[in-house]
Amino acid sequence: MKDCAPIMFAVAFFGMLFGATGLNNGLTFWQTVASSASVFAGASQFVFLELYNQQVPVWVVLLTVFAVNFRHFLYSASISRHIRHFSWFQKYIGFFFLSDPAFAAGEQRAEKQGLTPAYYFGYAGSLYPIWLSVTALGAYMGNLITNPNALGMDMLLSIYFLSLLMGFRSRANWLTVVLVSGVVSALVYKWIGAPWHITLGALAGIVLAAVIGKPANQEKRSDEHA
Amino acid sequence: MLEFFSSPGTPENVFLIILLTGVVTYITRSGGYVVLSRFKSLHPRVEAALEAVPGAVLVTLILPAVLDNGWLEIVAMVVALVASFRLSAIWVLLLGMTIVIAGRAFGF
């Protein structure tokens, strides 16, 4: 699947970094791999490591993971419009694999030619074994990557997400939504802090889209579902 | 039970915590569907809101990299942004990363 190629790089780097970080934060090899297997969401896995290591109460760990992952709630709401033809089983298995890249790829595919279970599981499902193997590799090899910032690892996902963001630029009110979400998110990031800038910033743009949304979109959407 | 949730994790129960973080993540990944599937049809404004989700969320994921760094990272992001009008994601990624890695290697 050529659509998968760019994210493979990012997944490989981050999985290895997570594997090495897991062992540095007091997890065993199998506990580190189990995190990737059970959660399959990079950012919240790093947050979990950090909080576990800081000896924070379990309920705070779980609430923080929920806050970091709240954007997925919006993903499953949005993608639900494109997976009506999936079986019950395909939907509920599919949600487990609904990562950031899987959501973006699914939405873009749905726009162009409709989203089939084969495409969704081919894309989203193939990232899972890779994420597990690179986590294991990173945990096994340890601190092979001594200076992740010199390799620009902190910028890797942001640049990738930027290219995903630009892929949606033909959508109605895209620029307005992005600007409003961006400004609100930046203010929240400065004054309240992470991870609230994600949820609050995103909600600002989404609410705006609902307010300024024109019924013209509706005709286009109902054709798609016919 | 209450004791477990109000105490820090230990090497003995960390497997359970890992499993619970997985459950919490799954709740977020299926929750939006569960809520929306209770409605037969979607109001046009809800449709418009859902159409906006990718743009509204992705921009918030990118921001910290711009706000927390210096001008080198901003240049890399602007070049990547311009490039993404023409190039596919893989080339945008390679171009942006080349600027960041080269720039940092030269001490910017």
Side-chain angles (χ1 to χ4, degrees):
Chain A
M1 286 248 199
K2 77 173 183 6
D3 295 2
C4 262
I7 189 59
M8 295 294 177
F9 275 105
V11 165
F13 275 117
F14 272 89
M16 285 186 59
L17 191 63
F18 178 77
T21 314
L23 261 67
N24 284 342
N25 279 267
L27 294 190
T28 65
F29 175 84
W30 287 113
Q31 286 162 351
T32 307
V33 175
S35 303
S36 282
S38 136
V39 184
F40 186 48
S44 61
Q45 289 179 222
F46 278 101
V47 166
F48 158 73
L49 284 184
E50 182 70 27
L51 295 182
Y52 172 69
N53 204 26
Q54 285 178 20
Q55 292 289 291
V56 167
V58 171
W59 73 270
V60 179
V61 176
L62 296 178
L63 192 66
T64 310
V65 167
F66 185 80
V68 172
N69 282 330
F70 185 77
R71 65 185 189 281
H72 294 100
F73 194 90
L74 302 169
Y75 293 170
S76 63
S78 181
I79 206 121
S80 68
R81 301 168 301 150
H82 310 302
I83 59 168
R84 289 186 180 140
H85 53 291
F86 282 34
S87 72
W88 184 90
F89 186 71
Q90 284 169 337
K91 281 175 187 165
Y92 281 92
I93 295 293
F95 291 135
F96 179 79
F97 300 105
L98 190 58
S99 54
D100 298 298
F103 168 68
E107 285 276 329
Q108 285 197 318
R109 184 75 170 190
E111 215 161 72
K112 282 184 202 131
Q113 54 199 108
L115 183 59
T116 61
Y119 183 86
Y120 180 78
F121 285 101
Y123 186 102
S126 66
L127 292 180
Y128 188 70
I130 295 168
W131 183 239
L132 288 194
S133 358
V134 292
T135 302
L137 195 65
Y140 179 73
M141 300 204 303
N143 289 330
L144 196 70
I145 309 165
T146 47
N147 188 356
N149 278 6
L151 293 171
M153 302 262 279
D154 52 322
M155 294 297 293
L156 186 63
L157 275 188
S158 295
I159 297 171
Y160 176 67
F161 286 143
L162 177 69
S163 75
L164 289 183
L165 175 68
M166 293 298 287
F168 290 99
R169 66 183 181 273
S170 58
R171 287 203 172 181
N173 298 318
W174 176 86
L175 187 61
T176 320
V177 167
V178 167
L179 288 177
V180 168
S181 280
V183 169
V184 172
S185 181
L187 292 175
V188 173
Y189 188 71
K190 286 286 180 202
W191 299 108
I192 303 176
W196 304 108
H197 68 287
I198 299 174
T199 304
L200 297 178
L203 284 177
I206 290 165
V207 168
L208 177 88
V211 173
I212 64 176
K214 299 222 168 56
N217 302 342
Q218 197 196 356
E219 280 168 38
K220 190 186 127 239
R221 311 287 343 159
S222 50
D223 286 350
E224 260 174 44
H225 294 143
Chain B
M1 178 88 162
L2 199 66
E3 166 95 40
F4 167 73
F5 283 108
S6 59
S7 321
T10 63
E12 289 73 43
N13 66 17
V14 70
F15 260 120
L16 180 60
I17 303 169
I18 288 168
L19 194 70
L20 289 175
T21 55
V23 172
V24 166
T25 304
Y26 184 77
I27 290 170
T28 64
R29 282 180 173 164
S30 55
Y33 169 80
V34 172
V35 170
L36 279 191
S37 63
R38 304 177 75 92
F39 301 94
K40 264 243 155 66
S41 64
L42 295 178
H43 189 278
R45 292 203 184 279
V46 177
E47 283 273 2
L50 295 177
E51 276 287 292
V53 169
V57 178
L58 287 169
V59 68
T60 70
L61 300 181
I62 297 164
L63 266 176
V66 178
L67 298 176
D68 293 343
N69 286 299
W71 65 268
L72 170 70
E73 289 77 11
I74 293 174
V75 167
M77 294 296 269
V78 170
V79 171
L81 187 137
V82 173
S84 58
F85 280 98
R86 281 295 166 101
L87 304 175
S88 63
I90 185 107
W91 293 109
V92 172
L93 195 60
L94 285 175
L95 186 63
M97 289 305 288
T98 307
I99 295 172
V100 173
I101 294 170
R104 286 181 184 175
F106 287 106
F108 286 108

